[in-house]
Amino acid sequence: MLSDIERKVLRVIANYSAGRRRTPTVQELCTKTGRLRGGILIVLEELAKEKYIEWNRVAPDEMKVLEAWERK
């Protein structure tokens, strides 16, 4: 089960990529969620670990949505 911030970031990434045909940058996620960069990086790591997104800390602005909705 995702935490509230993980769910929020996943939805922002999915909606942003659907509307703009690209995923948001880490800075754009910070702006949209009101969180600091370190917190967003932790959330992205968790989403990648749970296989909701493909993401690597080496290239933090490159991500791919694998699953846009939380699993039951």
Side-chain angles (χ1 to χ4, degrees):
M1 182 171 214
L2 296 176
S3 68
D4 289 340
I5 187 62
E6 292 167 349
R7 192 176 310 106
K8 181 178 184 175
V9 169
L10 180 60
R11 295 304 315 141
V12 168
I13 294 168
N15 290 334
Y16 192 99
S17 61
R20 291 185 175 83
R21 299 190 186 255
R22 71 174 178 87
T23 55
T25 64
V26 173
Q27 184 56 46
E28 289 168 331
L29 287 173
C30 292
T31 301
K32 299 232 179 259
T33 61
R35 298 288 177 132
L36 297 176
R37 182 178 176 87
I40 292 296
L41 294 177
I42 291 169
V43 170
L44 292 174
E45 284 177 349
E46 188 61 30
L47 289 173
K49 181 178 141 190
E50 296 291 327
K51 303 287 188 212
Y52 284 99
I53 62 172
E54 282 182 3
W55 180 78
N56 189 338
R57 196 175 190 114
V58 176
D61 290 337
E62 297 175 19
M63 59 191 85
K64 179 181 175 186
V65 178
L66 301 176
E67 238 178 293
W69 297 97
E70 183 177 16
R71 297 178 203 112
K72 295 190 182 219

Coordinates of all heavy atoms in Angstrom, one line a residue:
M1 N 0.8 -1.2 0.0 CA 0.0 0.0 0.0 C 0.9 1.2 0.0 O 1.8 1.3 0.8 CB -0.9 0.0 1.2 CG -1.9 1.1 1.3 SD -3.0 0.8 2.6 CE -4.4 1.6 1.9
L2 N 0.6 2.2 -0.8 CA 1.3 3.4 -1.0 C 0.9 4.4 0.1 O -0.2 4.5 0.5 CB 1.1 4.0 -2.3 CG 1.6 3.3 -3.5 CD1 1.2 4.0 -4.8 CD2 3.0 3.0 -3.5
S3 N 1.9 5.2 0.6 CA 1.6 6.3 1.5 C 0.9 7.4 0.7 O 0.9 7.4 -0.5 CB 2.9 6.8 2.1 OG 3.7 7.4 1.2
D4 N 0.4 8.4 1.4 CA -0.3 9.5 0.7 C 0.6 10.2 -0.3 O 0.2 10.5 -1.4 CB -0.8 10.5 1.7 CG -2.0 9.9 2.5 OD1 -2.6 8.9 2.0 OD2 -2.3 10.4 3.6
I5 N 1.9 10.5 0.2 CA 2.8 11.3 -0.7 C 3.2 10.4 -1.9 O 3.3 10.9 -3.0 CB 4.0 11.8 0.1 CG1 4.8 12.7 -0.8 CG2 4.8 10.7 0.6 CD1 4.1 14.0 -1.4
E6 N 3.4 9.1 -1.7 CA 3.7 8.2 -2.8 C 2.6 8.2 -3.8 O 2.8 8.3 -5.1 CB 4.0 6.8 -2.3 CG 5.3 6.7 -1.5 CD 5.5 5.5 -0.8 OE1 4.5 4.7 -0.7 OE2 6.6 5.2 -0.2
R7 N 1.4 8.1 -3.4 CA 0.2 8.1 -4.2 C 0.1 9.4 -5.0 O -0.2 9.4 -6.2 CB -1.1 7.8 -3.4 CG -2.3 7.5 -4.2 CD -3.5 7.2 -3.3 NE -3.2 6.2 -2.3 CZ -3.1 6.4 -1.0 NH1 -3.2 7.6 -0.6 NH2 -2.8 5.4 -0.2
K8 N 0.3 10.5 -4.3 CA 0.2 11.8 -4.9 C 1.3 12.0 -6.0 O 1.0 12.5 -7.1 CB 0.4 12.9 -3.8 CG 0.3 14.3 -4.4 CD 0.5 15.3 -3.2 CE 0.3 16.8 -3.7 NZ 0.3 17.7 -2.6
V9 N 2.5 11.6 -5.7 CA 3.6 11.8 -6.7 C 3.3 10.9 -7.9 O 3.5 11.3 -9.1 CB 5.0 11.4 -6.1 CG1 6.0 11.3 -7.1 CG2 5.3 12.5 -5.1
L10 N 2.8 9.7 -7.7 CA 2.5 8.8 -8.8 C 1.4 9.4 -9.7 O 1.5 9.4 -10.9 CB 2.0 7.4 -8.3 CG 1.7 6.4 -9.3 CD1 2.8 6.1 -10.2 CD2 1.2 5.1 -8.6
R11 N 0.4 10.0 -9.1 CA -0.7 10.6 -9.8 C -0.2 11.8 -10.6 O -0.6 12.1 -11.7 CB -1.9 11.0 -8.9 CG -2.6 9.8 -8.3 CD -3.2 8.8 -9.2 NE -3.8 9.4 -10.3 CZ -3.8 8.9 -11.6 NH1 -3.1 7.8 -11.9 NH2 -4.4 9.4 -12.6
V12 N 0.7 12.6 -10.0 CA 1.2 13.8 -10.6 C 2.0 13.3 -11.9 O 1.9 13.9 -12.9 CB 2.1 14.6 -9.7 CG1 2.9 15.7 -10.4 CG2 1.2 15.3 -8.6
I13 N 2.9 12.3 -11.7 CA 3.7 11.8 -12.8 C 2.8 11.3 -13.9 O 3.0 11.7 -15.1 CB 4.7 10.7 -12.3 CG1 5.7 11.3 -11.4 CG2 5.4 10.1 -13.5 CD1 6.5 10.2 -10.6
A14 N 1.8 10.5 -13.6 CA 0.9 10.0 -14.6 C 0.1 11.0 -15.3 O 0.0 11.0 -16.6 CB 0.0 8.9 -14.0
N15 N -0.5 12.0 -14.6 CA -1.3 13.0 -15.2 C -0.4 14.0 -16.0 O -0.8 14.4 -17.1 CB -2.0 13.8 -14.2 CG -3.2 13.0 -13.5 OD1 -3.7 12.1 -14.2 ND2 -3.5 13.3 -12.3
Y16 N 0.8 14.3 -15.5 CA 1.7 15.2 -16.2 C 2.1 14.6 -17.5 O 2.1 15.2 -18.6 CB 2.9 15.5 -15.3 CG 3.7 16.6 -15.8 CD1 3.6 17.9 -15.2 CD2 4.7 16.5 -16.8 CE1 4.4 18.9 -15.6 CE2 5.5 17.5 -17.2 CZ 5.4 18.7 -16.6 OH 6.1 19.8 -17.0
S17 N 2.5 13.3 -17.5 CA 3.0 12.7 -18.7 C 1.9 12.5 -19.7 O 2.1 12.5 -20.9 CB 3.7 11.3 -18.4 OG 2.8 10.4 -17.8
A18 N 0.6 12.3 -19.3 CA -0.5 12.1 -20.2 C -0.8 13.4 -20.9 O -1.1 13.4 -22.1 CB -1.7 11.6 -19.4
G19 N -0.7 14.5 -20.2 CA -1.0 15.8 -20.7 C 0.1 16.5 -21.5 O -0.1 17.2 -22.5
R20 N 1.4 16.2 -21.2 CA 2.5 16.9 -21.8 C 3.4 15.9 -22.6 O 4.4 16.4 -23.2 CB 3.3 17.6 -20.8 CG 2.6 18.7 -20.2 CD 3.4 19.5 -19.2 NE 2.8 20.7 -18.7 CZ 2.0 20.7 -17.7 NH1 1.6 19.6 -17.1 NH2 1.4 21.9 -17.3
R21 N 3.1 14.6 -22.6 CA 3.8 13.6 -23.3 C 5.3 13.5 -22.9 O 6.2 13.2 -23.7 CB 3.7 13.8 -24.8 CG 2.3 13.7 -25.3 CD 2.2 13.7 -26.8 NE 0.9 13.8 -27.2 CZ 0.2 12.7 -27.7 NH1 0.8 11.6 -27.8 NH2 -1.1 12.9 -28.0
R22 N 5.6 13.9 -21.7 CA 6.9 13.7 -21.1 C 6.6 13.7 -19.6 O 5.6 14.2 -19.1 CB 7.8 14.8 -21.4 CG 7.5 16.2 -20.8 CD 8.6 17.2 -21.1 NE 8.3 18.5 -20.5 CZ 8.6 18.8 -19.2 NH1 9.2 18.0 -18.4 NH2 8.2 20.0 -18.8
T23 N 7.6 13.0 -18.9 CA 7.4 13.0 -17.4 C 8.0 14.3 -16.8 O 8.8 14.9 -17.4 CB 8.2 11.8 -16.8 OG1 9.5 11.8 -17.3 CG2 7.5 10.5 -17.3
P24 N 7.5 14.6 -15.6 CA 8.0 15.9 -15.0 C 9.4 15.7 -14.5 O 9.9 14.6 -14.2 CB 7.0 16.1 -13.8 CG 6.5 14.7 -13.5 CD 6.5 14.0 -14.8
T25 N 10.1 16.8 -14.3 CA 11.5 16.7 -13.7 C 11.3 16.7 -12.2 O 10.2 16.9 -11.7 CB 12.3 18.0 -14.1 OG1 11.6 19.1 -13.5 CG2 12.4 18.2 -15.6
V26 N 12.4 16.4 -11.5 CA 12.3 16.3 -10.1 C 11.9 17.7 -9.5 O 11.1 17.8 -8.6 CB 13.7 15.9 -9.5 CG1 13.7 16.0 -8.0 CG2 13.9 14.4 -9.9
Q27 N 12.4 18.8 -10.1 CA 12.1 20.1 -9.7 C 10.6 20.4 -9.9 O 10.0 21.0 -9.0 CB 12.9 21.2 -10.4 CG 12.7 22.6 -9.9 CD 12.9 22.8 -8.4 OE1 13.9 22.3 -7.9 NE2 12.0 23.4 -7.7
E28 N 10.1 20.0 -11.0 CA 8.6 20.1 -11.2 C 7.8 19.4 -10.2 O 6.8 19.8 -9.7 CB 8.3 19.7 -12.6 CG 8.8 20.7 -13.7 CD 8.7 20.2 -15.1 OE1 8.8 18.9 -15.3 OE2 8.6 21.0 -16.0
L29 N 8.3 18.2 -9.8 CA 7.6 17.4 -8.8 C 7.6 18.2 -7.4 O 6.7 18.2 -6.7 CB 8.2 16.0 -8.6 CG 7.8 15.0 -9.8 CD1 8.7 13.8 -9.6 CD2 6.4 14.7 -9.8
C30 N 8.8 18.7 -7.1 CA 8.9 19.5 -5.9 C 7.9 20.7 -5.9 O 7.2 20.9 -4.9 CB 10.3 20.1 -5.8 SG 11.6 18.9 -5.5
T31 N 7.8 21.4 -7.0 CA 6.9 22.5 -7.1 C 5.4 22.0 -7.0 O 4.6 22.7 -6.2 CB 7.0 23.2 -8.5 OG1 8.4 23.7 -8.6 CG2 6.1 24.4 -8.6
K32 N 5.1 21.0 -7.6 CA 3.7 20.5 -7.6 C 3.2 19.9 -6.3 O 2.1 19.9 -5.9 CB 3.4 19.5 -8.7 CG 3.7 20.0 -10.1 CD 2.5 19.8 -11.0 CE 2.7 20.3 -12.3 NZ 2.0 21.6 -12.6
T33 N 4.2 19.3 -5.5 CA 3.9 18.6 -4.3 C 4.2 19.5 -3.1 O 3.7 19.2 -2.0 CB 4.6 17.3 -4.1 OG1 6.0 17.5 -4.2 CG2 4.2 16.3 -5.3
G34 N 5.0 20.5 -3.2 CA 5.4 21.3 -2.1 C 6.5 20.6 -1.2 O 6.7 21.0 -0.1
R35 N 7.1 19.6 -1.7 CA 8.2 18.9 -1.0 C 9.6 19.3 -1.4 O 9.8 19.8 -2.5 CB 8.0 17.4 -1.2 CG 6.7 16.8 -0.8 CD 6.7 16.7 0.7 NE 5.4 16.2 1.2 CZ 5.2 15.3 2.1 NH1 6.3 14.7 2.6 NH2 4.0 14.9 2.5
L36 N 10.5 19.0 -0.6 CA 11.9 19.3 -0.9 C 12.5 18.1 -1.8 O 11.9 17.0 -1.8 CB 12.8 19.3 0.4 CG 12.4 20.5 1.3 CD1 13.2 20.4 2.6 CD2 12.6 21.8 0.6
R37 N 13.6 18.4 -2.5 CA 14.2 17.5 -3.5 C 14.5 16.2 -2.8 O 14.2 15.1 -3.4 CB 15.4 18.1 -4.1 CG 16.1 17.2 -5.1 CD 17.3 17.9 -5.7 NE 18.0 17.1 -6.7 CZ 17.7 16.9 -7.9 NH1 16.7 17.6 -8.5 NH2 18.4 16.1 -8.7
G38 N 15.1 16.2 -1.6 CA 15.5 15.0 -0.9 C 14.3 14.1 -0.7 O 14.3 12.8 -0.8
G39 N 13.1 14.7 -0.3 CA 11.9 13.9 0.0 C 11.4 13.3 -1.3 O 10.9 12.1 -1.3
I40 N 11.4 14.0 -2.4 CA 10.9 13.5 -3.7 C 11.8 12.4 -4.1 O 11.3 11.4 -4.6 CB 10.9 14.6 -4.7 CG1 9.8 15.7 -4.4 CG2 10.6 14.1 -6.1 CD1 8.4 15.1 -4.4
L41 N 13.1 12.5 -4.0 CA 14.0 11.4 -4.4 C 13.7 10.1 -3.6 O 13.7 9.0 -4.2 CB 15.4 11.8 -4.2 CG 15.9 12.9 -5.1 CD1 17.4 13.3 -4.8 CD2 15.7 12.6 -6.6
I42 N 13.4 10.2 -2.3 CA 13.0 9.1 -1.5 C 11.7 8.4 -2.0 O 11.6 7.2 -2.1 CB 12.9 9.5 0.0 CG1 14.3 9.8 0.5 CG2 12.3 8.3 0.8 CD1 14.3 10.4 1.9
V43 N 10.8 9.3 -2.3 CA 9.5 8.8 -2.8 C 9.7 8.1 -4.2 O 9.1 7.0 -4.4 CB 8.5 9.9 -3.0 CG1 7.2 9.5 -3.7 CG2 8.1 10.4 -1.6
L44 N 10.5 8.7 -5.1 CA 10.8 8.0 -6.4 C 11.5 6.7 -6.2 O 11.1 5.7 -6.9 CB 11.6 9.0 -7.2 CG 10.9 10.2 -7.7 CD1 11.8 11.2 -8.4 CD2 9.7 9.9 -8.6
E45 N 12.4 6.6 -5.2 CA 13.0 5.3 -5.0 C 12.0 4.3 -4.6 O 12.1 3.1 -5.0 CB 14.1 5.5 -3.9 CG 15.4 6.1 -4.4 CD 16.4 6.4 -3.3 OE1 16.0 6.2 -2.1 OE2 17.5 6.7 -3.6
E46 N 11.1 4.7 -3.7 CA 10.1 3.7 -3.2 C 9.2 3.3 -4.4 O 8.8 2.1 -4.5 CB 9.3 4.3 -2.1 CG 8.4 3.4 -1.4 CD 9.1 2.2 -0.8 OE1 10.2 2.3 -0.3 OE2 8.4 1.1 -0.7
L47 N 8.7 4.2 -5.2 CA 7.9 3.9 -6.3 C 8.6 3.0 -7.3 O 8.0 2.0 -7.9 CB 7.4 5.2 -7.0 CG 6.4 6.0 -6.3 CD1 6.2 7.3 -7.0 CD2 5.1 5.3 -6.0
A48 N 9.9 3.2 -7.5 CA 10.7 2.3 -8.4 C 10.8 0.9 -7.7 O 10.7 -0.1 -8.4 CB 12.0 2.9 -8.7
K49 N 11.0 0.9 -6.4 CA 11.2 -0.4 -5.7 C 9.9 -1.2 -5.8 O 9.9 -2.4 -6.0 CB 11.5 -0.1 -4.3 CG 11.8 -1.3 -3.4 CD 12.1 -0.9 -2.0 CE 11.5 -1.8 -1.0 NZ 11.6 -1.4 0.3
E50 N 8.8 -0.5 -5.7 CA 7.5 -1.2 -5.8 C 7.0 -1.5 -7.2 O 5.9 -1.9 -7.5 CB 6.4 -0.4 -5.1 CG 6.7 -0.2 -3.6 CD 6.5 -1.5 -2.8 OE1 5.6 -2.4 -3.2 OE2 7.2 -1.8 -1.8
K51 N 7.8 -1.1 -8.2 CA 7.6 -1.3 -9.7 C 6.4 -0.5 -10.2 O 5.7 -1.0 -11.1 CB 7.4 -2.8 -10.0 CG 8.5 -3.7 -9.6 CD 9.7 -3.5 -10.4 CE 10.8 -4.5 -10.1 NZ 12.1 -4.1 -10.3
Y52 N 6.2 0.7 -9.7 CA 5.2 1.6 -10.2 C 5.8 2.4 -11.3 O 5.1 2.9 -12.3 CB 4.6 2.5 -9.2 CG 3.6 1.8 -8.3 CD1 4.0 1.3 -7.0 CD2 2.3 1.6 -8.7 CE1 3.1 0.7 -6.2 CE2 1.4 1.0 -7.9 CZ 1.8 0.5 -6.6 OH 0.8 -0.1 -5.8
I53 N 7.1 2.7 -11.2 CA 7.8 3.5 -12.2 C 9.2 2.8 -12.5 O 9.7 2.1 -11.6 CB 8.0 5.0 -11.8 CG1 8.9 5.1 -10.5 CG2 6.7 5.7 -11.7 CD1 9.3 6.5 -10.2
E54 N 9.8 3.1 -13.6 CA 11.2 2.8 -13.8 C 11.9 4.1 -13.6 O 11.6 5.2 -14.2 CB 11.4 2.4 -15.3 CG 11.0 1.0 -15.5 CD 11.3 0.5 -17.0 OE1 11.9 1.3 -17.7 OE2 10.9 -0.6 -17.3
W55 N 12.9 4.1 -12.7 CA 13.6 5.3 -12.4 C 15.0 4.9 -11.8 O 15.2 3.9 -11.2 CB 12.9 6.1 -11.3 CG 13.5 7.3 -10.8 CD1 13.5 8.5 -11.5 CD2 14.2 7.5 -9.6 NE1 14.2 9.5 -10.8 CE2 14.6 8.9 -9.6 CE3 14.5 6.7 -8.5 CZ2 15.3 9.4 -8.5 CZ3 15.2 7.3 -7.5 CH2 15.6 8.6 -7.5
N56 N 16.0 5.8 -12.1 CA 17.3 5.6 -11.6 C 17.9 6.9 -11.0 O 17.7 7.9 -11.7 CB 18.2 5.1 -12.7 CG 19.6 4.6 -12.2 OD1 20.0 5.0 -11.1 ND2 20.2 3.8 -13.0
R57 N 18.4 6.8 -9.8 CA 18.9 8.0 -9.2 C 20.0 8.7 -10.0 O 20.3 9.9 -9.8 CB 19.4 7.7 -7.8 CG 19.6 8.9 -6.9 CD 19.9 8.5 -5.5 NE 19.8 9.6 -4.6 CZ 19.0 9.8 -3.6 NH1 18.1 8.9 -3.4 NH2 18.9 10.9 -2.9
V58 N 20.7 8.0 -10.8 CA 21.8 8.5 -11.6 C 21.3 9.6 -12.6 O 21.9 10.6 -12.9 CB 22.6 7.4 -12.4 CG1 23.6 8.0 -13.3 CG2 23.2 6.4 -11.4
A59 N 20.1 9.3 -13.2 CA 19.4 10.2 -14.1 C 18.0 10.5 -13.5 O 17.0 10.0 -14.0 CB 19.3 9.6 -15.5
P60 N 18.0 11.4 -12.5 CA 16.7 11.5 -11.7 C 15.5 12.1 -12.5 O 14.4 11.9 -12.1 CB 17.1 12.5 -10.6 CG 18.3 13.2 -11.1 CD 19.0 12.2 -12.0
D61 N 15.8 12.8 -13.6 CA 14.7 13.4 -14.4 C 14.1 12.5 -15.4 O 13.1 12.8 -16.1 CB 15.1 14.7 -15.0 CG 15.4 15.8 -14.0 OD1 14.8 15.7 -12.9 OD2 16.1 16.7 -14.3
E62 N 14.7 11.3 -15.5 CA 14.2 10.3 -16.5 C 13.4 9.2 -15.8 O 14.0 8.5 -14.9 CB 15.4 9.7 -17.3 CG 16.1 10.7 -18.1 CD 17.4 10.0 -18.8 OE1 17.4 8.8 -18.9 OE2 18.2 10.8 -19.2
M63 N 12.2 9.1 -16.0 CA 11.3 8.1 -15.4 C 10.3 7.6 -16.4 O 10.0 8.3 -17.4 CB 10.7 8.6 -14.1 CG 9.8 9.8 -14.3 SD 9.4 10.6 -12.8 CE 10.7 11.6 -12.5
K64 N 9.8 6.4 -16.2 CA 8.7 5.8 -17.0 C 7.7 5.2 -16.1 O 8.0 4.5 -15.2 CB 9.4 4.8 -17.9 CG 8.4 4.1 -18.8 CD 9.0 3.0 -19.6 CE 8.0 2.3 -20.4 NZ 8.6 1.1 -21.2
V65 N 6.4 5.6 -16.4 CA 5.3 5.0 -15.6 C 5.0 3.6 -16.1 O 4.8 3.4 -17.2 CB 4.1 5.9 -15.8 CG1 2.9 5.3 -15.0 CG2 4.3 7.3 -15.3
L66 N 5.0 2.7 -15.1 CA 4.7 1.3 -15.4 C 3.2 1.0 -15.0 O 2.5 0.3 -15.7 CB 5.6 0.3 -14.6 CG 7.1 0.5 -14.9 CD1 7.9 -0.5 -14.0 CD2 7.4 0.2 -16.4
E67 N 2.8 1.6 -13.9 CA 1.5 1.4 -13.4 C 1.0 2.8 -12.8 O 1.6 3.3 -11.9 CB 1.4 0.4 -12.3 CG 0.5 -0.7 -12.6 CD 0.5 -1.8 -11.5 OE1 1.5 -2.4 -11.3 OE2 -0.5 -1.9 -10.8
A68 N -0.1 3.4 -13.4 CA -0.5 4.7 -13.0 C -1.4 4.7 -11.8 O -1.6 5.7 -11.2 CB -1.2 5.4 -14.1
W69 N -2.0 3.6 -11.4 CA -2.9 3.5 -10.3 C -2.3 2.5 -9.2 O -1.7 1.6 -9.5 CB -4.2 3.0 -10.7 CG -4.9 3.9 -11.7 CD1 -4.9 3.8 -13.1 CD2 -5.6 5.1 -11.4 NE1 -5.6 4.8 -13.6 CE2 -6.0 5.6 -12.6 CE3 -6.0 5.7 -10.2 CZ2 -6.8 6.8 -12.7 CZ3 -6.7 6.9 -10.3 CH2 -7.1 7.4 -11.5
E70 N -2.7 2.8 -8.0 CA -2.3 2.0 -6.9 C -2.9 0.6 -7.0 O -4.1 0.5 -7.3 CB -2.7 2.6 -5.5 CG -2.2 1.8 -4.4 CD -2.5 2.5 -3.0 OE1 -3.4 3.4 -3.0 OE2 -1.9 2.1 -2.0
R71 N -2.1 -0.4 -6.7 CA -2.7 -1.8 -6.7 C -3.5 -2.1 -5.5 O -3.3 -1.5 -4.5 CB -1.5 -2.8 -6.7 CG -0.6 -2.7 -7.9 CD 0.5 -3.7 -7.8 NE 1.6 -3.2 -8.6 CZ 2.8 -2.8 -8.2 NH1 3.1 -2.8 -6.9 NH2 3.7 -2.3 -9.1
K72 N -4.4 -3.0 -5.6 CA -5.3 -3.3 -4.5 C -4.7 -4.4 -3.6 O -3.8 -5.1 -4.0 CB -6.6 -3.8 -5.0 CG -7.4 -2.7 -5.7 CD -8.8 -3.0 -5.9 CE -9.4 -1.8 -6.7 NZ -10.7 -1.5 -6.4

